[in-house]
Amino acid sequence: MVDPRIVKQQLDRLGVQFAFVGQAEANELPQILMEGEEVQHVIVGRYSGGFAIMCATNLRLLLIDKKLFFLTVEDIRYDMIAELDYGHQLVGATIHIRSFSKDLKFQSFKKLKLREFTSFVQQKVMEIRQQQ
């Protein structure tokens, strides 16, 4: 478990502000993150299970969905990502992440943030592939 103050500092550095949606998920981050793991990007959106946050760290990609009696955490390592697609529409944008074991679609109204998020993940995937 990571100290919640460290996670709060990382989120503040990124300028992340949660209204109602995303606060419960952000509160779960200290229990999910590993020592030395740093949050690089966070975005609120929707996936097949409802509203959630997607978090890109220096080590992996996390989808966190916290509901009253349920917690869903999808953990996708950068080296496991096979394909990453981005598309935007008039009102929002979609990222489609395919790994060897998962297929995840995530939508957000914040097109620019999702595009930056996608670019970051693509960069991490390429770095991992070049190292191998």
Side-chain angles (χ1 to χ4, degrees):
M1 181 170 143
V2 176
D3 186 352
R5 292 176 296 195
I6 293 173
V7 174
K8 179 154 178 24
Q9 288 173 353
Q10 292 175 6
L11 294 176
D12 288 345
R13 177 179 44 85
L14 295 171
V16 176
Q17 297 287 324
F18 294 106
F20 180 69
V21 177
Q23 187 61 51
E25 288 84 356
N27 291 339
E28 287 295 321
L29 274 172
Q31 286 83 22
I32 297 168
L33 295 177
M34 298 181 288
E35 282 297 323
E37 191 170 16
E38 293 182 22
V39 177
Q40 305 289 318
H41 286 274
V42 177
I43 190 159
V44 176
R46 200 171 67 81
Y47 77 115
S48 62
F51 286 96
I53 65 170
M54 189 170 283
C55 179
T57 73
N58 57 329
L59 303 176
R60 58 191 170 154
L61 194 60
L62 296 166
L63 179 121
I64 306 165
D65 180 9
K66 175 77 168 138
K67 293 193 174 35
L68 188 58
F69 296 111
F70 300 98
L71 173 65
T72 301
V73 178
E74 297 277 345
D75 176 341
I76 304 171
R77 308 290 170 157
Y78 293 122
D79 62 344
M80 297 300 289
I81 295 176
E83 215 173 304
L84 186 68
D85 297 321
Y86 168 86
H88 67 259
Q89 304 79 31
L90 182 64
V91 179
T94 304
I95 184 174
H96 192 168
I97 303 162
R98 292 178 192 89
S99 72
F100 300 111
S101 61
K102 297 177 184 166
D103 191 11
L104 180 66
K105 280 189 182 177
F106 187 81
Q107 300 172 319
S108 178
F109 290 117
K110 298 185 177 190
K111 291 190 254 188
L112 182 58
K113 282 192 86 130
L114 189 59
R115 190 165 195 170
E116 290 171 1
F117 185 95
T118 305
S119 295
F120 175 80
V121 174
Q122 287 174 329
Q123 182 66 36
K124 292 299 279 186
V125 169
M126 292 306 294
E127 286 174 10
I128 297 283
R129 297 234 168 97
Q130 287 176 352
Q131 289 175 0
Q132 294 174 349

